[in-house]
Amino acid sequence: TQLLEQSPQFLSIQEGENLTVYCNSSSVFSSLQWYRQEPGEGPVLLVTVVTGGEVKKLKRLTFQFGDARKDSSLHITAAQPGDTGLYLCVVSYNFNKFYFGSGTKLNVKP
Amino acid sequence: DAGVIQSPRHEVTEMGQEVTLRCKPISGHNSLFWYRQTMMRGLELLIYFNNNVPIDDSGMPEDRFSAKMPNASFSTLKIQPSEPRDSAVYFCASRRQSSNTEAFFGQGTRLTVV
């Protein structure tokens, strides 16, 4: 059973462009996290959101948790080559078990 | 802080051989997770422990897979016998067992079964 759908699967853009990636599910979750994974490394946490409608900003990254707590988006402004990586959406029902989406593979070309 | 330490980083083995992957979680973290990552299936949770006790092993694919956590600072994931379809990157992660805390991942073990 696919709990999470992330879109797009792949994204290749030029440096300086803006982009948005999405994470969607039919289920309500207690929390949602975004991780970034670089080649040859493990995922690293970017942000955690728990409140419906919550918006968090991390420099050029803006994260939003949908009002119904079933979806989230990640917006990157003026993308840089250092943003290249696999962006993973992770949800939890009970703060113990975490489910990963399949990820969006982002490539930012200089 | 050394982070989550996994060994080996790379393992190449022949089909039918036993493979043991090792993980040292961050000191003070009482939850430990084993994940497998492939291109086809992404990151899959295999098993997780709270306070050294296995809580949910429903993600372990077959009886060929087993995991142990004999103490708070060490865990193993064993595959016996290994098969080519087990080839993947295996990640260990640890966190404090409370709501919304960050999971810290090791660098993974890239397993190739030929």
Side-chain angles (χ1 to χ4, degrees):
Chain A
T1 303
Q2 185 67 33
L3 289 175
L4 293 175
E5 286 189 4
Q6 287 192 245
S7 60
Q9 279 190 295
F10 302 97
L11 192 54
S12 184
I13 60 173
Q14 290 293 137
E15 181 176 2
E17 291 183 14
N18 301 333
L19 67 116
T20 303
V21 299
Y22 301 92
C23 174
N24 292 282
S25 172
S26 57
S27 301
V28 175
F29 298 101
S30 51
S31 70
L32 188 146
Q33 297 177 318
W34 285 94
Y35 281 74
R36 181 171 67 206
Q37 184 180 19
E38 298 183 11
E41 301 291 332
V44 176
L45 180 69
L46 295 174
V47 76
T48 300
V49 287
V50 294
T51 306
E54 185 174 4
V55 177
K56 283 192 175 179
K57 290 197 173 187
L58 186 66
K59 295 183 181 177
R60 293 175 295 99
L61 278 59
T62 302
F63 304 87
Q64 183 159 11
F65 200 14
D67 290 338
R69 288 162 54 205
K70 295 182 182 180
D71 59 274
S72 179
S73 63
L74 158 60
H75 182 79
I76 302 179
T77 303
Q80 299 176 0
D83 297 327
T84 293
L86 178 67
Y87 288 81
L88 295 157
C89 169
V90 185
V91 298
S92 171
Y93 289 113
N94 57 9
F95 304 117
N96 268 323
K97 199 167 174 178
F98 293 82
Y99 298 90
F100 280 79
S102 55
T104 293
K105 200 164 189 176
L106 172 65
N107 179 37
V108 182
K109 294 175 282 188
Chain B
D1 191 340
V4 175
I5 300 173
Q6 291 187 246
S7 64
R9 286 295 309 276
H10 303 274
E11 176 82 37
V12 180
T13 191
E14 290 186 346
M15 181 174 64
Q17 296 298 305
E18 177 181 296
V19 175
T20 299
L21 311 182
R22 297 173 174 79
C23 175
K24 177 178 167 55
I26 292 173
S27 177
H29 285 189
N30 54 357
S31 290
L32 183 141
F33 304 81
W34 281 101
Y35 286 91
R36 177 173 68 177
Q37 187 174 37
T38 61
M39 288 291 292
M40 290 295 293
R41 300 174 68 91
L43 265 164
E44 301 173 279
L45 177 64
L46 299 177
I47 184 172
Y48 77 94
F49 297 82
N50 282 346
N51 298 312
N52 312 338
V53 176
I55 302 301
D56 187 340
D57 65 354
S58 59
M60 296 285 261
E62 299 171 32
D63 290 346
R64 298 183 297 104
F65 285 68
S66 63
K68 292 182 180 179
M69 192 163 186
N71 57 63
S73 59
F74 184 65
S75 177
T76 59
L77 177 68
K78 186 177 291 187
I79 308 172
Q80 167 63 19
S82 58
E83 296 182 3
R85 60 193 168 120
D86 301 331
S87 298
V89 181
Y90 290 81
F91 286 102
C92 175
S94 72
R95 62 191 280 264
R96 288 192 179 86
Q97 185 195 349
S98 61
S99 63
N100 301 330
T101 57
E102 177 179 358
F104 290 83
F105 284 77
Q107 291 186 299
T109 294
R110 181 173 292 278
L111 173 65
T112 304
V113 184
V114 298

